[in-house]
Amino acid sequence: MVSEVFILVPALLGLKGNLEMTLASRLSTQANLGRMDTPSEMWRMVIGNLALVQCQATVVGFLASMAAVIMGWIPDGVFEVQHAFLLCASSLVTASIASFVLGVIMIAVVLLSRKCSINPDNVATPIAASLGDLTTLSLLAGVSSALFNSLDKQIWLAPSIILVFLVLLPIWIMIAKRHPITREVLYRGWTPVISAMGISSLGGLILDYTVSSFPGIAVYQPVINGVGGNLVAVQASRISTSLHQTADPGCLPTHLDRLCVSPCTSFFSKDNHARTSRVLMLLVVPGHLIFIYMITYVKAGHTSPSPLFVCIYMLAASLQVFLLLYIARILIHWMWTRSIDPDNSAIPYLTALGDLLGTALLAVGFQFLYVIGDKDSDVGD
């Protein structure tokens, strides 16, 4: 058994998810700017972005596997070379295939949205986030199982796979450098993705500390983080597209007189972003009610969905999304004034912050329920 694969899963999912959502946001912006309307422009954008995500997937897959190997080696002090090769090869194959498949799907979604007069900002990033985890997990399970079964008979297989990906990496870089949009991401798009992994890991530490006392949190943590990340990704993509359409990098749009605005202005003014924020906030409660019902229906956890539990959970979820939408507005405009393209940088920070806020608020909610006397088995004994 290669226990390090359990360490690999959250790191790989987090890193790959950010790649898919930034790809969706980038393509949505270019489509809304009319830069994918002709066949020649479309194919240049498609080839450049597919090469870029292959390059990113190779680096991300390697980093995630190295993190899993190191974290698995530290507690026991035992280093298995074959296990390290297995993890690295599984991670590279999974990240590469998932990136290609999801990249093609994202391109199809964006182009179809344009033809149907639907703003791709509203659909591409949530689809990327939803399909990304499912595709990556399924591939990782299949690839790692196949490589594990070949450890004794074909010990050369995993190292050969790693070598092939290292040889292909310069080719992907050369292709991606030919397009100005993807060339910029090659140079400036790594810091947000890797920094986001560090922020998300703080949420993982909170979860690891909390789940021993409150097992029920493990069922609801992916839900609250997933919903929050999807909603803020929609807002981030829309704000980024608006800035590309109305202002030059480094300058705020003419209707904005300052960078930092109050929460009241951010949610209750008459501009489009405030209206979108209000609509997204209205989706929080009904969306989470559906997920709570589904969790209860399939008996995924034993935490009783009592009125008090639902109220505390909804309060945590609403506060998370409220903070994320407010931070998104300020962060994206700040990035724009620094000539940083928010399509490539904002979503990784926001989704990682969503993971941290969601896990922390959920932990506080479970602790509060326990303190006031809720002794449900999944809340705490």
Side-chain angles (χ1 to χ4, degrees):
M1 178 179 175
V2 184
S3 60
E4 291 88 350
V5 74
F6 296 109
I7 303 173
L8 176 63
V9 168
L12 187 61
L13 287 182
L15 289 169
K16 280 286 289 88
N18 284 327
L19 296 186
E20 268 107 45
M21 284 196 285
T22 52
L23 170 65
S25 180
R26 190 164 57 245
L27 290 174
S28 298
T29 295
Q30 298 307 312
N32 282 323
L33 293 174
R35 295 175 183 169
M36 295 177 67
D37 290 344
T38 65
S40 60
E41 289 178 321
M42 181 195 71
W43 281 113
R44 285 182 67 231
M45 188 69 66
V46 166
I47 293 172
N49 275 283
L50 287 179
L52 173 65
V53 294
Q54 285 301 307
C55 172
Q56 290 177 315
T58 302
V59 176
V60 159
F62 183 78
L63 289 176
S65 64
M66 289 301 100
V69 169
I70 292 171
M71 292 178 69
W73 165 67
I74 289 175
D76 301 327
V78 178
F79 180 75
E80 292 281 351
V81 176
Q82 290 301 323
H83 287 185
F85 282 142
L86 168 67
L87 285 171
C88 190
S90 300
S91 184
L92 287 171
V93 173
T94 298
S96 178
I97 296 176
S99 291
F100 177 76
V101 171
L102 291 165
V104 171
I105 292 174
M106 286 304 98
I107 291 166
V109 167
V110 170
L111 294 176
L112 186 61
S113 298
R114 286 285 288 173
K115 288 188 185 241
C116 297
S117 300
I118 298 172
N119 187 349
D121 283 321
N122 296 334
V123 293
T125 45
I127 290 176
S130 303
L131 291 180
D133 287 357
L134 178 62
T135 306
T136 304
L137 275 176
S138 303
L139 281 169
L140 182 61
V143 171
S144 58
S145 297
L147 288 176
F148 182 77
N149 293 332
S150 69
L151 273 181
D152 296 330
K153 300 177 182 177
Q154 299 170 309
I155 59 174
W156 52 268
L157 183 58
S160 300
I161 291 173
I162 297 170
L163 183 61
V164 168
F165 277 97
L166 292 178
V167 170
L168 288 175
L169 182 59
I171 299 174
W172 302 133
I173 292 174
M174 285 194 306
I175 297 173
K177 284 177 69 175
R178 293 179 181 176
H179 197 285
I181 299 295
T182 53
R183 182 167 60 244
E184 180 189 358
V185 183
L186 270 178
Y187 295 142
R188 305 180 63 175
W190 298 104
T191 303
V193 173
I194 297 172
S195 299
M197 183 175 68
I199 297 172
S200 294
S201 65
L202 296 177
L205 291 174
I206 295 174
L207 179 64
D208 184 52
Y209 176 78
T210 309
V211 75
S212 58
S213 301
F214 309 110
I217 197 174
V219 180
Y220 293 95
Q221 184 258 358
V223 175
I224 193 171
N225 290 349
V227 172
N230 282 351
L231 293 178
V232 76
V234 170
Q235 179 74 324
S237 188
R238 289 175 62 89
I239 295 175
S240 180
T241 297
S242 175
L243 288 172
H244 278 90
Q245 291 174 332
T246 60
D248 295 324
C251 303
L252 287 174
T254 53
H255 65 275
L256 285 178
D257 55 354
R258 54 181 176 161
L259 182 62
C260 293
V261 296
S262 67
C264 289
T265 302
S266 181
F267 285 89
F268 301 107
S269 61
K270 296 182 179 180
D271 67 14
N272 289 331
H273 300 323
R275 282 196 290 269
T276 304
S277 295
R278 293 196 295 270
V279 170
L280 294 173
M281 284 299 301
L282 289 174
L283 295 175
V284 175
V285 172
H288 277 292
L289 284 175
I290 292 172
F291 284 117
I292 290 175
Y293 172 77
M294 291 173 62
I295 289 170
T296 306
Y297 181 77
V298 300
K299 298 180 181 178
H302 302 292
T303 300
S304 303
S306 64
L308 180 59
F309 171 81
V310 172
C311 288
I312 296 298
Y313 179 82
M314 290 302 169
L315 180 62
S318 299
L319 182 57
Q320 177 211 29
V321 175
F322 177 87
L323 291 172
L324 285 175
L325 293 176
Y326 179 62
I327 293 169
R329 179 165 181 144
I330 295 175
L331 177 65
I332 293 170
H333 286 99
W334 177 84
M335 286 182 171
W336 190 257
T337 61
R338 298 296 186 273
S339 299
I340 300 172
D341 189 347
D343 275 329
N344 303 323
S345 302
I347 287 179
Y349 287 119
L350 291 169
T351 53
L353 190 58
D355 291 346
L356 178 59
L357 284 173
T359 306
L361 289 170
L362 203 56
V364 171
F366 271 73
Q367 180 67 46
F368 176 76
L369 287 170
Y370 180 73
V371 168
I372 64 173
D374 189 335
K375 296 297 192 292
D376 192 289
S377 62
D378 260 9
V379 171
D381 295 324

